[in-house]
Amino acid sequence: MSAIRHIQNIALIGFMGTGKTTVGRLVAEQLKFELLDTDALIEQRSGKKIAEIFVQNGEPAFRQLEAQLVQELAARDKTVISTGGGLPTNPANLASLKTHSLVVCLWAAPEGIYERVREQTHRPLLNDPDPLGKIRTLLAAREKFYKQADVLLNSDLRSAREVAQQVIVQFRLVTQPRK
Ligand code: S3P
């Protein structure tokens, strides 16, 4: 049975490097919403970088911090929530987000993701001898979770500004009464 939804926030989900943070910032600016980045908040609270949490405490500990944070988000309104790429793989996280947010997934092909993340080193899951292979494998395993979003937007062929515009259109469609 699905829970009642009071959509007052926007949650951006999707794989690493699909533009969630950039798009989230643009959407928040335009709607005059607050921007909340789950990774940034976890880092701020723990005083550690995500990569350090993975090394020192392990991935399960990180996932627990994510899940705790998701529970707190139910109290928010007028917030754009930019989530870590693995957060929706916990079905309880996705179910909780859906009670208060329009869940929008930014989708991109593995090659596009690789181009965006190849120069970056802060993502522990991509510190792999074959990052493109790892992206393909992880993306295939996660596809079923990402596709449970309310809206799926391909960010490969659009600028961040265009994607942000699409997010806003979709949000207004579900939150503003039809004339
Ligand atoms: C992760 C994605 C990262 C961060 C952590 C794990 C993942 O967030 O939460 O490194 O499992 O996909 P971004 O999607 O913002 O890079």
Side-chain angles (χ1 to χ4, degrees):
M1 209 174 71
S2 57
I4 294 173
R5 302 183 67 179
H6 295 290
I7 294 177
Q8 47 209 11
N9 304 306
I10 297 172
L12 298 178
I13 66 169
F15 203 78
M16 300 171 257
T18 50
K20 289 165 293 179
T21 306
T22 311
V23 169
R25 196 176 311 120
L26 292 169
V27 173
E29 264 169 32
Q30 287 199 46
L31 292 179
K32 300 198 175 16
F33 277 22
E34 197 176 325
L35 177 66
L36 187 153
D37 184 303
T38 59
D39 283 343
L41 194 53
I42 288 171
E43 288 189 338
Q44 193 187 321
R45 286 182 177 179
S46 64
K48 291 180 190 174
K49 294 281 173 204
I50 302 292
E52 290 173 324
I53 301 176
F54 268 68
V55 171
Q56 295 171 14
N57 310 89
E59 184 175 346
F62 172 71
R63 298 299 171 200
Q64 215 172 339
L65 293 173
E66 268 187 334
Q68 280 162 8
L69 178 52
V70 167
Q71 293 310 312
E72 291 173 36
L73 298 177
R76 314 269 331 181
D77 70 349
K78 296 192 173 182
T79 303
V80 178
I81 302 160
S82 173
T83 64
L87 184 144
T89 62
N90 176 344
N93 288 346
L94 202 49
S96 179
L97 287 177
K98 279 196 175 178
T99 62
H100 55 80
S101 294
L102 181 73
V103 177
V104 180
C105 178
L106 305 190
W107 183 261
E111 295 74 17
I113 291 172
Y114 179 57
E115 280 312 311
R116 292 190 208 189
V117 302
R118 60 188 299 179
E119 304 296 335
Q120 304 169 350
T121 54
H122 65 280
R123 294 183 174 96
L125 293 176
L126 299 183
N127 290 337
D128 190 275
D130 174 18
L132 180 56
K134 184 77 188 277
I135 291 169
R136 287 203 173 103
T137 310
L138 266 181
L139 194 57
R142 291 177 174 183
E143 185 170 345
K144 61 177 181 290
F145 301 106
Y146 293 143
K147 292 203 165 161
Q148 289 174 38
D150 297 308
V151 180
L152 197 57
L153 289 176
N154 192 316
S155 66
D156 267 333
L157 301 171
R158 298 182 175 103
S159 69
R161 211 158 272 286
E162 286 166 332
V163 176
Q165 221 39 58
Q166 292 291 326
V167 173
I168 291 169
V169 166
Q170 295 294 330
F171 184 68
R172 290 195 167 135
L173 272 175
V174 297
T175 54
Q176 286 178 359
R178 289 187 204 169
K179 289 183 193 139

